[in-house]
Amino acid sequence: MSILEISSQLINVLVTVEDEIALVKINRPKALNALNNDTLSDLNKIFDCIAEDDSVRGVIITGEGKGFVAGADIVQMQGYKSIEGRKYAALAQMIFNKIENLEKPVISAVNGYALGGGCELSLSCDIRIASTKAVFGQPEVGLGVIPCFGGTQRLPRLIGSGIAKELIYTGRQVKAEEALYVGLVNKVVEPELLIEEAKNMMKTILKNASLAIGFAKVAINRGLEMDIDNGLELEKDMAALSFATDDKDEGMRAFVEKRPAVFKNK
């Protein structure tokens, strides 16, 4: 099924494709785009479709209104007990893993509140660009629970365990400039420039060989879970795959001939 066909079936997510870039917008602004089951289901469907669609080479995720994603849906969760809570966490983790492991670059354009599950969604992306109005946080302990959409694992891997523990234990919110300072985001821009900046960065990325980017993403993501020796073995394996592509031949030929490479993603 095409992205156009899938997008017509979605409830809380809008999707457009332009210049080989899919813009995925969480569209539940009255709830600050909180992640209920319908929204998670939408994300699951669209990322399955994006993974299979060769016409899409990169993805940008953002939110409608004042929120990127202001967290999981507390109204939905408040009646959950142990089993239901674990199933909800498993569902969100499965989808966020799918985003993280997509062999295409994913940028989160964080336009506003990225709290709880919203912060965790941004963590599953490769690169985070924040509006000056963006606010990050993991406030779950104030609700009597812990981050469970990947926050206890991805946040310390990104910014270090000390700062991650401070943010998770205190539940305090972090504005864009502090998020940049601690390494939670890559860049901060004015709100009106956010999507343009994300698109420009993605276009710069997509000038390069998409297969090589995918191999590099696998090497980085999986390598973070390995010791250095196994990580280097993985790097050699991914390099070997890249050397077998037509894009490698084109890229090196273009370099020798002093001309821009024309990659065909083969």
Side-chain angles (χ1 to χ4, degrees):
M1 191 174 291
S2 70
I3 288 179
L4 181 62
E5 291 171 321
I6 285 287
S7 63
S8 67
Q9 301 176 9
L10 304 180
I11 299 170
N12 293 324
V13 172
L14 303 174
V15 185
T16 56
V17 179
E18 184 179 355
D19 297 327
E20 301 180 295
I21 302 167
L23 178 63
V24 176
K25 180 179 286 188
I26 314 297
N27 185 39
R28 199 178 172 224
K30 290 183 179 179
L32 290 175
N33 303 322
L35 296 172
N36 62 0
N37 283 335
D38 286 337
T39 309
L40 289 170
S41 176
D42 285 352
L43 287 172
N44 192 40
K45 290 175 184 175
I46 196 61
F47 273 92
D48 277 343
C49 191
I50 287 170
E52 298 300 322
D53 190 335
D54 292 338
S55 69
V56 174
R57 298 175 55 215
V59 185
I60 297 170
I61 304 177
T62 193
E64 180 63 45
K66 295 181 180 180
F68 173 70
V69 169
D73 192 319
I74 297 170
V75 174
Q76 178 180 295
M77 290 191 300
Q78 64 179 340
Y80 286 176
K81 297 301 181 184
S82 179
I83 299 300
E84 294 90 350
R86 197 176 198 283
K87 286 181 178 179
Y88 191 44
L91 173 64
Q93 286 184 11
M94 178 273 289
I95 297 164
F96 289 9
N97 287 345
K98 190 173 291 185
I99 295 170
E100 182 177 57
N101 294 322
L102 182 73
E103 291 186 21
K104 300 176 183 183
V106 183
I107 295 174
S108 59
V110 183
N111 53 300
Y113 291 106
L115 305 176
C119 186
E120 290 165 306
L121 174 59
S122 76
L123 292 171
S124 71
C125 300
D126 298 302
I127 295 166
R128 286 150 295 281
I129 301 176
S131 154
T132 54
K133 294 185 178 180
V135 179
F136 297 83
Q138 298 287 171
E140 288 87 349
V141 295
L143 301 172
V145 293
I146 70 168
C148 60
F149 291 2
T152 66
Q153 303 306 304
R154 290 191 177 99
L155 189 61
R157 283 168 168 79
L158 182 65
I159 66 174
S161 63
I163 297 175
K165 286 177 179 178
E166 177 199 341
L167 297 184
I168 291 171
Y169 294 177
T170 64
R172 74 179 180 87
Q173 297 180 1
V174 173
K175 293 183 179 180
E177 288 299 332
E178 184 178 357
L180 180 65
Y181 178 75
V182 300
L184 180 51
V185 302
N186 299 72
K187 196 168 190 177
V188 176
V189 298
E190 293 300 322
E192 64 272 16
L193 300 176
L194 179 63
I195 299 301
E196 179 184 356
E197 182 63 33
K199 287 182 176 179
N200 286 341
M201 183 180 289
M202 186 62 77
K203 288 176 182 177
T204 299
I205 292 169
L206 297 184
K207 289 178 182 178
N208 298 307
S210 287
L211 290 175
I213 292 168
F215 295 145
K217 182 169 179 174
V218 171
I220 293 167
N221 286 354
R222 294 186 183 174
L224 284 170
E225 312 306 319
M226 299 177 177
D227 60 60
I228 186 66
D229 291 334
N230 284 309
L232 290 171
E233 286 298 316
L234 173 62
E235 182 178 85
K236 287 187 288 189
D237 290 341
M238 293 297 103
L241 290 175
S242 69
F243 269 80
T245 65
D246 293 345
D247 282 349
K248 170 263 178 184
D249 295 334
E250 164 62 12
M252 294 192 178
R253 187 184 306 115
F255 179 84
V256 171
E257 295 173 359
K258 296 181 172 57
R259 61 172 175 82
V262 181
F263 295 116
K264 297 183 179 179
N265 308 311
K266 295 182 180 178

